Amino acid sequence: TDVFPSGTRVVVFGSCANGFGSPSSDLDMCLQLPPNASLPAIGDDEENNGAAAMAKLAEKLVEVGLEDVDTVRLTARIPVLIFNYPIITPSGEKILLDCDLSMQNPLACLNTSLLLSYATISPQTRVLVSIIKRWAKTRDINSPQFHTLSSYGYILMLLHFLTHHTTTIHGKIVPYHEEDARRGGQYLTNQPLLPNLQRMQQEWPHSPRGTAYSEMREKPKHQSCSMPHPTESSFTVNTYFYRVADQAQKDNLKQRFAPTQSGFDPSVAVLLAEFFRYYAYNFDFKKHVVSLSSNYGAGLIEKEAKAESDGWSVYRQILAIEDPFETFYDVAHVLKPGTFQRVKREFAMAYSKRAIVTL
């Protein structure tokens, strides 16, 4: 359509591109305008040019045969078109692929790159995500519109768990703390189950094997890691994370964090049981925030700190999940006290059943 400048691209993001998708995943896409390009004026309301352009595009999608084109979310913070793409199978059956198309959504693409890096270096994490997503859907606690968590929220909870735990010589999975790691003793490894790609020291992957894992106290803040927020003009996004740029880097990190490197190989069943136990009984929801910004040296981020920096409520004593890049945004804000208690009960029930299986 002529309302978008030449060179506009369609980029796939979300579960179809981040390594944690399934055959039933929706197809999430966004339109990326060329650098320094802008939309032509449509009508008198320049602030809503994006929504107006997407509305024009919706008309074109209907013309070319796409089905159930829905424009109800064009007034959202990020305008989104929803439609179904019909696919005819060799047997003649028609299958509808659920599609979402947004515009200028760079943070979604950035999140996709971060999650893809985790999926790339840890196949075991991909299996865990698949099981947790299916569990959450089966237990009916995976619907933000009904005040339960999104799949993205559960993935962040798992990454937080894996980057803050390690294994002991007794075969147990325990929280990973810098002071304990330095003492050695009970720890079989001197690294967590999974690296924190936003905190890991840049030099550590290139150090000799056996060098203790280390994290930065703060993420780099140079200009190349800064991006203006697309909708919040007062917020600058720190885009830094350790990019797994080539096959050699991927293989290096996969080998360093392969379960067999620790001598104790925690099975998927054991990791799953410990994940459920952590959030059912160990994690202090009233005090702490699930975050990838925290590191083992500084400890978990407290809600009081988020109240000071981002205005989060200290009286909302339920699960809070910090977005990795939009750090002012609580991914778990959809939860109500009642639905949070239901989610927590499901974690406890899942742990009790999984623990019996793994014993």
Side-chain angles (χ1 to χ4, degrees), residues 1-12:
T1 177
D2 55 5
V3 298
F4 293 99
S6 175
T8 299
R9 300 188 306 141
V10 177
V11 178
V12 177

Side-chain angles (χ1 to χ4, degrees), residues 13-18 20-28 96-99 133 137 151:
F13 68 93
S15 55
C16 282
N18 65 20
F20 295 123
S22 67
S24 61
S25 295
D26 297 347
L27 179 60
D28 297 308
L96 295 178
L97 176 62
D98 295 332
C99 301
K133 287 172 66 174
K137 289 183 183 296
S151 296

Side-chain angles (χ1 to χ4, degrees), residues 282-307:
N282 293 353
F283 188 83
D284 189 344
F285 295 99
K286 295 180 180 180
K287 183 179 180 181
H288 292 132
V289 174
V290 173
S291 171
L292 295 178
S293 296
S294 57
N295 59 28
Y296 63 78
L300 301 184
I301 290 180
E302 297 189 358
K303 286 188 173 180
E304 287 188 359
K306 292 300 293 180

Side-chain angles (χ1 to χ4, degrees), residues 212-328:
Y213 171 83
S214 58
E215 292 183 354
M216 299 177 286
R217 296 293 178 175
E218 293 184 349
K219 293 194 293 184
K221 295 180 179 179
H222 45 76
Q223 190 63 32
S224 62
C225 298
S226 297
M227 180 182 75
H229 193 280
T231 61
E232 302 290 335
S233 58
S234 62
F235 187 81
T236 300
V237 179
N238 188 326
T239 64
Y240 175 79
F241 68 92
Y242 183 86
R243 264 69 171 181
V244 185
D246 54 39
Q247 188 65 37
Q249 288 184 344
K250 182 181 78 170
D251 291 342
N252 178 38
L253 282 176
K254 283 181 71 173
Q255 292 169 8
R256 284 176 180 262
F257 287 91
T260 52
Q261 290 296 108
S262 67
F264 165 65
D265 187 353
S267 66
V268 167
V270 169
L271 289 170
L272 192 61
E274 291 301 316
F275 166 76
F276 287 135
R277 183 173 71 90
Y278 179 61
Y279 288 111
Y281 301 111
N282 293 353
F283 188 83
D284 189 344
F285 295 99
K286 295 180 180 180
K287 183 179 180 181
H288 292 132
V289 174
V290 173
S291 171
L292 295 178
S293 296
S294 57
N295 59 28
Y296 63 78
L300 301 184
I301 290 180
E302 297 189 358
K303 286 188 173 180
E304 287 188 359
K306 292 300 293 180
E308 293 179 5
S309 63
D310 296 306
W312 289 22
S313 173
V314 293
Y315 302 105
R316 183 177 157 86
Q317 298 186 347
I318 60 177
L319 172 65
I321 305 174
E322 182 188 66
D323 187 89
F325 298 107
E326 293 180 283
T327 53
F328 62 86

Side-chain angles (χ1 to χ4, degrees), residues 166-174 186-189 264:
T166 189
T167 55
T168 73
I169 57 175
H170 305 296
K172 293 182 179 180
I173 295 174
V174 295
Q186 68 164 318
Y187 284 100
L188 186 61
T189 65
F264 165 65

